[in-house]
Amino acid sequence: MSEASTVTARVVAGGKFFRLGGQKFYVRGVTFGPFPPNSYGEPFPSPEQTVRDFVQLRDLGANVLRVYYVPPLWFLELARSQGLYLLVDVPWAKHRCFLESARTRAAAREAVREAAKTCARHPAVFAISVVNEIPADLVRWSGAQAVADFIDELVGEVKAVAPECLCTFGNFPPTEFLRPKEIDFLTFNVYLHQRRPFENYLSRLQMIADAKPLLLGEMGIDSLREGEDRQTEILSWQLESAFRGGVAGAIVFGFTDDWFANQQRVTDWAFGLTTRERAPKPAFAAVQKQFQTAPFFPLQRYPKVSVVIACYNGDRTLKTCLDSLSRLNYPDYEVILVDDGSTDDTPLTAVLYPQVRFVRHTRNLGLSMARNTGISAAQGEIVAFTDADCRADEDWLRYLVGDLLRSRFAAIGGPNLLPPEDSLVATVVMASPGGPAHVMLTDREAEHIPGCNMAFYKWVLEEVGLFDPIFKQAGDDVDLCWRLQERGYQIGFSPAGFVWHYRRSTVRHYLDQQRGYGDAEALLVHKHPEYFNWFGGGLWQGRIYSPAKIAPVFRRPRIYHGLFGSGMFQSLYAGKPTLDLLLFTSLEYHILVTLPLVLVAISFHFMAPLALTSLLVSLLVCATAAIQAELPKDKTRLWSRPMVALLFLLQPLFRGLARYHGRLTLRPRPLASRETMDTLTRKGQGQRFDEVHYWAEPPMDRVRFLTGIMQHLEEEEWPYRTDVGWNDFDVELVGGRWIRLYLTTVHDGKNTVRCRLKPAWTLPAQIAFVLMFALEMTVAGVFSSGRSWLWLMLLSLPILAWWWLRRQQRHLQRIFAVFLDEVAATLHLTRIPQTITEQATSVEPEARGET
């Protein structure tokens, strides 16, 4: 073995993968041993046999060995000289109820500490696993959180000796619910011999691993029971599926059938790639071939990808972004930089990259317009987007495109992670609410992907009309995701296709960002009212994956253990954030509750305790969220969590103010602008528009009629919301700031479709009317004594407001009734007078020929 292959550097974790000397390091491993004691009493082969084994392992293409005992120095040196790294499992009495015994806990800590002293600093050590496969019934007995905390203690023992040493623990499906926080990467032993369940479980593990690397610590097949051909077949597709699925590495169990456990040779299992005599089985050649190919198995094709960066005054990080995009490991892509009227040095930076296609707007047109400009210039079949404050992983496109091609998805996104070199303030911002995050419906399907990491087929973008130009700063990605899903398309998620995303580096910049998000939400509420509650808060169906706590979590997680705690896959169902508590940090609560109490307490001091309590409740919610926030230990300072609490307090205020400002200043399309000659002709004819009826010959499915209505509403850009299964209406129509209308349909017989048009006031109209009435009653009570004319005048104002709103409702009914006639005509339905329908429904079924 040449000197070049000698291990000289340490492997480190970086995002979803490992790195060695600046390059990615993918684990291609096998387990090694345990073996019968050698002449020194060690659970390893003799030095002479170990040399022969290492040569064979290098021929296999392995670069990591997993050993289940702490290796002696001679073994470490041999591994180093052969270019092999070791994942060292530390043995201790994990099968006992160790948490109940101070002696057992101390022995475990001592074993890990001694292992760290022996080998953690040695360059041949890839990582230390502080424990492997704690029995599920023991974890249930001791408590999952207590066991996880003890694992973190053991990791601390290693870090105290060798902070640079990577640490993990060997988990497996029966204790999938264990969530220690201090491990550097996730290790899972998975034995699933069917391809679809294996790939599905791999997707689940990637969601559990989140921003950390995922290593398959054991995967193997018993050739004694399954047969050598079956072992070859299964290991081949397992390794391919694992690396295509974005794992940081995989370890095959094991090297040889020469296996020793429980003080005796194991003769009734044959998981090895070689026999006890080290003769290669057919699986050896199969694994050798897959190791040579890994990590990048060929894609079915390599469509051209256009990477679009919309940049506005982003020169501070633009060079880092373009540098990363120049190093992508993908054979056919182009980079398009759209400068949206920047006033900084963005054009000068762009000149340094002649291979980048540069398009410049002479003035700032907004984010959506910049992205649409990039799409228009794109030559690729797929258009990918990232931001100027992002640094793409070199394999970003390969994973995004690979997962997109192998799926039914029309679009795909991936994680955005905090760069390790980012500032301490950026770390706090990452853990604060309102940052970019992906929202997952399943382990593979996303409800939302952030704009800094997303890719679409170009034809899909063109079909839905590209990005909506009304979104100048943010919200364009949310709007596009919703429009795609409304058309029946699905959005995927690629856990390995990640970018590093630099967060805002000051509190002021963070709050400016939240103001921009608030402005975007005002536009989204107007365009997609079905996705928001009354106060403008978003309603997500999926789970939000973010380091920040959406809200404090007080509900304990539940674990499915299976019958008598013997389930093979024991899942953790995390406690959901207590979203109701966000009321106490909302802008509405501060304005409607806390502020009035404070003002009253100034004059009436006995109200001061109540005002103070209201304020303290808000502060307590913020403090709880800060305590629960996930902050990297190496970037946490004394001021970190107090700052998270402060941002939790300020974020809803700044975002809420911007949202309300946008909603109040946004002028919805006036109802009068929807008037046509047909609607004006019917005005004043005394017709009723609370119901309209249609005759379908032949009979038409009611859902088809509703689909046609919604299609025309979209063409007319008329905001609406559909029933999601819980409402007693089919479509809710927004008629302006003050009125809305509910459409309900029913089949009245085979051929008649009846439509009920029920108007209602919007929430702002209801609030305004109540406040007007209350204010006028107060003013009348104070100033109208002896002035009956003033009382009557004030009382008439709410009446006039009610009359005006009622008149607007009738106008909306009339206009929408004509709109329905136009839709019905395109579907070949005939409008029938309501009186005829009423006469028909009054006739007995037998008289109508019905049974």
Side-chain angles (χ1 to χ4, degrees):
M1 186 65 59
S2 66
E3 184 64 26
S5 64
T6 302
V7 169
T8 58
R10 299 298 299 255
V11 178
V12 298
K16 294 290 294 179
F17 299 100
F18 302 111
R19 291 192 171 273
L20 178 63
Q23 300 296 317
K24 278 190 178 178
F25 178 84
Y26 287 89
V27 173
R28 305 171 181 89
V30 293
T31 63
F32 193 71
F35 297 95
N38 59 23
S39 57
Y40 303 106
E42 301 161 335
F44 295 92
S46 67
E48 295 76 19
Q49 181 61 50
T50 299
V51 170
R52 292 191 291 270
D53 288 347
F54 281 4
V55 172
Q56 198 168 12
L57 285 164
R58 292 295 293 169
D59 184 54
L60 178 68
N63 57 10
V64 170
L65 303 183
R66 184 176 184 182
V67 295
Y68 297 93
Y69 287 89
V70 179
L73 181 59
W74 65 264
F75 189 92
L76 291 167
E77 286 299 310
L78 278 179
R80 184 184 64 81
S81 66
Q82 295 295 320
L84 293 169
Y85 287 89
L86 304 179
L87 171 58
V88 179
D89 276 284
V90 182
W92 51 270
K94 63 183 182 183
H95 58 284
R96 307 292 300 271
C97 295
F98 52 86
L99 290 185
E100 294 186 356
S101 167
R103 178 181 299 177
T104 305
R105 293 198 306 274
R109 284 192 289 265
E110 179 63 21
V112 171
R113 189 182 308 116
E114 288 303 314
K117 291 178 180 178
T118 301
C119 65
R121 293 193 184 95
H122 197 281
V125 172
F126 160 66
I128 287 182
S129 172
V130 296
V131 64
N132 182 46
E133 293 190 0
I134 303 175
D137 59 332
L138 190 151
V139 177
R140 187 179 70 148
W141 176 273
S142 301
Q145 188 58 55
V147 174
D149 290 343
F150 187 68
I151 292 173
D152 283 334
E153 284 186 41
L154 297 180
V155 171
E157 294 290 345
V158 177
K159 296 293 187 180
V161 175
E164 72 283 0
C165 183
L166 295 177
C167 289
T168 186
F169 89 103
N171 206 350
F172 66 145
T175 57
E176 173 196 296
F177 50 82
L178 281 176
R179 300 285 197 274
K181 297 178 180 179
E182 301 303 324
I183 57 174
D184 295 302
F185 60 95
L186 203 71
T187 300
F188 251 83
N189 306 331
V190 180
Y191 292 87
L192 289 172
H193 296 172
Q194 300 297 320
R195 187 163 192 163
R196 181 63 63 83
F198 178 84
E199 292 176 349
N200 288 344
Y201 195 62
L202 184 63
S203 297
R204 177 173 179 80
L205 292 181
Q206 286 284 23
M207 290 297 101
I208 295 173
D210 196 16
K212 294 180 178 180
L214 171 63
L215 174 68
L216 293 185
E218 289 180 8
M219 46 188 287
I221 299 94
D222 177 22
S223 63
L224 196 63
R225 291 167 177 79
E226 300 281 350
E228 291 188 354
D229 290 342
R230 181 76 171 146
Q231 181 191 34
T232 301
E233 174 197 351
I234 292 175
L235 283 176
S236 293
W237 64 251
Q238 278 187 340
L239 286 168
E240 179 177 349
S241 294
F243 284 103
R244 284 192 189 275
V247 299
I251 297 177
V252 176
F253 187 95
F255 169 61
T256 175
D257 288 342
D258 184 12
W259 189 26
F260 190 82
N262 299 321
Q263 305 301 316
Q264 59 183 355
R265 286 185 179 273
V266 178
T267 58
D268 56 346
W269 293 92
F271 279 80
L273 299 177
T274 65
T275 65
R276 291 178 179 83
E277 294 75 27
R278 277 35 173 204
K281 299 181 186 177
F284 186 96
V287 171
Q288 184 182 51
K289 178 182 177 182
Q290 300 302 73
F291 277 176
Q292 290 172 351
T293 307
F296 300 124
F297 290 81
L299 303 184
Q300 51 190 275
R301 60 190 185 92
Y302 293 89
K304 185 179 181 68
V305 180
S306 299
V307 179
V308 174
I309 310 105
C311 180
Y312 175 65
N313 289 342
D315 181 62
R316 184 178 68 90
T317 54
L318 180 60
K319 189 176 187 303
T320 300
C321 174
L322 295 178
D323 283 342
S324 70
L325 294 177
S326 68
R327 297 190 294 264
L328 296 180
N329 294 328
Y330 190 79
D332 190 8
Y333 74 99
E334 62 176 352
V335 179
I336 302 171
L337 172 63
V338 181
D339 178 9
D340 190 31
S342 297
T343 58
D344 62 1
D345 290 336
T346 293
L348 298 178
T349 301
V351 171
L352 303 176
Y353 299 86
Q355 74 278 17
V356 173
R357 296 174 60 193
F358 181 62
V359 183
R360 178 170 170 78
H361 291 168
T362 55
R363 59 189 180 90
N364 181 238
L365 300 178
L367 179 59
S368 290
M369 284 296 292
R371 284 178 170 165
N372 288 344
T373 297
I375 296 170
S376 300
Q379 300 173 354
E381 178 184 346
I382 296 171
V383 183
F385 298 89
T386 190
D387 290 341
D389 58 355
C390 291
R391 171 165 58 88
D393 179 73
E394 58 260 48
D395 301 309
W396 171 55
L397 281 188
R398 183 181 288 270
Y399 284 115
L400 286 187
V401 174
D403 287 339
L404 190 61
L405 293 178
R406 291 194 303 273
S407 68
R408 62 190 182 280
F409 301 125
I412 200 162
N416 65 102
L417 309 180
L418 181 74
E421 70 272 17
D422 216 345
S423 68
L424 296 176
V425 174
T427 304
V428 170
V429 168
M430 176 198 66
S432 301
H438 48 282
V439 184
M440 301 299 296
L441 295 169
T442 68
D443 292 330
R444 286 180 170 153
E445 183 181 354
E447 182 180 5
H448 169 254
I449 48 178
C452 60
N453 186 2
M454 57 185 184
F456 305 81
Y457 287 113
K458 186 178 180 181
W459 63 263
V460 174
L461 293 170
E462 293 172 340
E463 180 179 320
V464 300
L466 309 185
F467 292 93
D468 191 331
I470 67 170
F471 296 99
K472 303 292 186 183
Q473 303 178 69
D476 58 318
D477 51 350
V478 179
D479 168 65
L480 185 62
C481 288
W482 285 342
R483 285 192 283 136
L484 283 174
Q485 291 166 90
E486 287 166 359
R487 287 177 177 250
Y489 294 115
Q490 293 179 312
I491 302 169
F493 186 76
S494 176
F498 75 94
V499 298
W500 299 103
H501 189 189
Y502 294 91
R503 267 47 175 194
R504 298 300 187 268
S505 56
T506 68
V507 172
R508 181 174 65 84
H509 288 156
Y510 165 75
L511 295 177
D512 287 343
Q513 178 192 49
Q514 296 308 308
R515 271 194 290 260
Y517 288 165
D519 291 335
E521 282 178 335
L523 299 171
L524 288 167
V525 170
H526 175 70
K527 189 173 182 181
H528 302 279
E530 67 273 26
Y531 292 102
F532 293 87
N533 59 27
W534 282 7
F535 294 105
L539 300 174
W540 296 103
Q541 301 298 316
R543 177 183 172 186
I544 301 175
Y545 281 81
S546 170
K549 295 294 180 184
I550 308 169
V553 178
F554 293 106
R555 302 174 187 175
R556 295 182 60 188
R558 299 189 65 185
I559 300 169
Y560 174 76
H561 291 288
L563 183 64
F564 308 133
S566 61
M568 181 59 67
F569 295 86
Q570 300 188 22
S571 301
L572 174 74
Y573 295 88
K576 294 183 178 180
T578 311
L579 297 177
D580 294 341
L581 290 177
L582 293 183
L583 170 67
F584 298 108
T585 64
S586 67
L587 176 67
E588 294 82 3
Y589 178 80
H590 291 303
I591 291 178
L592 299 177
V593 179
T594 303
L595 182 59
L597 286 174
V598 171
L599 293 176
V600 171
I602 293 174
S603 301
F604 303 96
H605 299 301
F606 66 90
M607 295 291 290
L610 190 58
L612 183 61
T613 300
S614 177
L615 182 59
L616 286 177
V617 168
S618 300
L619 296 176
L620 181 61
V621 171
C622 296
T624 303
I627 292 171
Q628 296 180 349
E630 298 178 7
L631 290 168
K633 180 177 285 188
D634 60 333
K635 288 198 170 185
T636 302
R637 301 296 184 267
L638 288 176
W639 50 265
S640 297
R641 293 192 186 276
M643 181 175 285
V644 172
L646 175 64
L647 297 185
F648 239 94
L649 180 67
L650 296 178
Q651 186 263 356
L653 302 182
F654 280 76
R655 192 160 175 167
L657 282 170
R659 182 171 62 244
Y660 275 105
H661 177 267
R663 294 179 70 182
L664 291 173
T665 56
L666 179 66
R667 295 188 176 274
R669 182 175 174 181
L671 196 58
S673 69
R674 299 188 184 275
E675 293 274 18
T676 64
M677 288 300 296
D678 288 337
T679 63
L680 292 172
T681 300
R682 299 193 193 184
K683 187 175 182 180
Q685 294 185 354
Q687 297 183 34
R688 291 175 56 190
F689 297 105
D690 56 338
E691 281 194 22
V692 289
H693 305 160
Y694 299 98
W695 179 266
E697 185 66 47
M700 174 180 286
D701 179 30
R702 185 173 58 89
V703 175
R704 182 186 167 198
F705 181 41
L706 287 167
T707 302
I709 292 171
M710 291 184 290
Q711 181 178 346
H712 280 73
L713 285 172
E714 291 177 1
E715 292 173 356
E716 292 292 325
E717 297 183 353
W718 202 332
Y720 72 93
R721 155 172 98 92
T722 60
D723 170 40
V724 292
W726 298 94
N727 308 109
D728 54 5
F729 62 83
D730 296 318
V731 178
E732 178 186 358
L733 189 76
V734 179
R737 182 171 295 163
W738 309 112
I739 53 173
R740 63 184 63 198
L741 184 142
Y742 297 102
L743 168 67
T744 308
T745 60
V746 65
H747 267 303
D748 187 7
K750 295 181 180 178
N751 299 87
T752 303
V753 180
R754 299 175 61 174
C755 302
R756 178 190 295 143
L757 282 58
K758 181 180 178 181
W761 294 1
T762 61
L763 178 64
Q766 297 175 43
I767 294 175
F769 187 82
V770 171
L771 291 177
M772 178 191 300
F773 191 81
L775 180 62
E776 291 180 356
M777 291 301 100
T778 303
V779 173
V782 176
F783 298 104
S784 66
S785 177
R787 299 183 180 89
S788 56
W789 60 271
L790 180 59
W791 173 271
L792 291 174
M793 186 179 71
L794 291 172
L795 187 61
S796 67
L797 291 178
I799 297 175
L800 289 173
W802 177 87
W803 173 83
W804 181 82
L805 287 170
R806 179 58 184 159
R807 185 169 176 268
Q808 291 294 106
Q809 288 175 348
R810 288 197 296 268
H811 289 343
L812 179 58
Q813 284 180 310
R814 172 173 50 82
I815 291 171
F816 191 62
V818 174
F819 177 85
L820 288 178
D821 287 349
E822 295 171 355
V823 176
T826 64
L827 298 173
H828 307 293
L829 275 67
T830 304
R831 172 77 178 271
I832 55 178
Q834 187 172 342
T835 54
I836 296 178
T837 309
E838 291 171 350
Q839 292 172 6
T841 55
S842 66
V843 180
E844 293 297 324
E846 291 82 0
R848 300 200 304 266
E850 298 179 8
T851 58

